[in-house]
Amino acid sequence: SNGTRCEMRRGAIALHNAAGGTVDGVTYENIYVEDPREFGFHMAILESEYSIGMDPVTKQQLYWSKPGHVRNVKVKNLHILKTPPYGYYISGYDEDHKFNIEFDGLYIGGKKVKSLEAFKRLPNVTIRHAEVIIK
């Protein structure tokens, strides 16, 4: 990353789904981020020119349809040592396409984040259309 906010959605760790499929069962474990230059993490379901899907009526593939889903993402023991300039971003596409993620051991600046409420109080946290669990 180059340290400037841009549309590339660059996070020290990231997971993006911009297609019509489902991302399921991804685990990140024992990660240390020393110097995030943009987002600490950027997790999102995106609509893009690469989004594809199937028309439920005609069963034909369509481009530029709503994207898919992200389910059962687990992040265990993530340590972010410095405050990222653009914060933390977790976003689904809409209420039918939510981003589902669980943190078990989220440490920011050497301190454990113990709840979703505590996480939301950090600077530059964006959570929308997402089911987020913090243990």
Side-chain angles (χ1 to χ4, degrees):
S1 70
N2 64 8
T4 60
R5 188 174 186 130
C6 70
E7 291 302 310
M8 303 243 352
R9 302 170 180 99
R10 295 182 288 207
I13 65 170
L15 178 64
H16 300 141
N17 183 3
T22 298
V23 175
D24 192 356
V26 174
T27 300
Y28 295 90
E29 192 167 359
N30 300 324
I31 296 174
Y32 285 80
V33 176
E34 293 179 353
D35 188 14
R37 299 289 176 100
E38 293 174 24
F39 293 93
F41 50 79
H42 196 287
M43 309 283 194
I45 300 173
L46 306 166
E47 184 173 36
S48 77
E49 61 194 56
Y50 302 107
S51 295
I52 59 172
M54 184 174 289
D55 184 305
V57 176
T58 66
K59 306 295 184 205
Q60 294 180 355
Q61 276 201 333
L62 300 174
Y63 292 88
W64 301 287
S65 66
K66 287 185 180 179
H69 302 273
V70 176
R71 298 185 179 121
N72 302 311
V73 175
K74 296 186 186 310
V75 180
K76 298 178 183 179
N77 299 320
L78 171 60
H79 298 259
I80 299 178
L81 303 181
K82 289 185 180 178
T83 301
Y86 304 114
Y88 309 93
Y89 188 89
I90 304 169
S91 179
Y93 180 75
D94 59 21
E95 286 302 310
D96 294 325
H97 301 85
K98 288 186 175 185
F99 199 105
N100 174 270
I101 187 167
E102 176 183 301
F103 293 90
D104 186 359
L106 174 60
Y107 301 86
I108 297 177
K111 296 181 182 178
K112 184 173 183 177
V113 178
K114 297 180 181 179
S115 69
L116 180 57
E117 292 73 28
F119 178 63
K120 287 179 179 180
R121 287 193 297 269
L122 294 172
N124 299 318
V125 171
T126 299
I127 299 174
R128 63 176 164 234
H129 306 302
E131 296 172 357
V132 179
I133 296 170
I134 296 182
K135 294 181 175 181

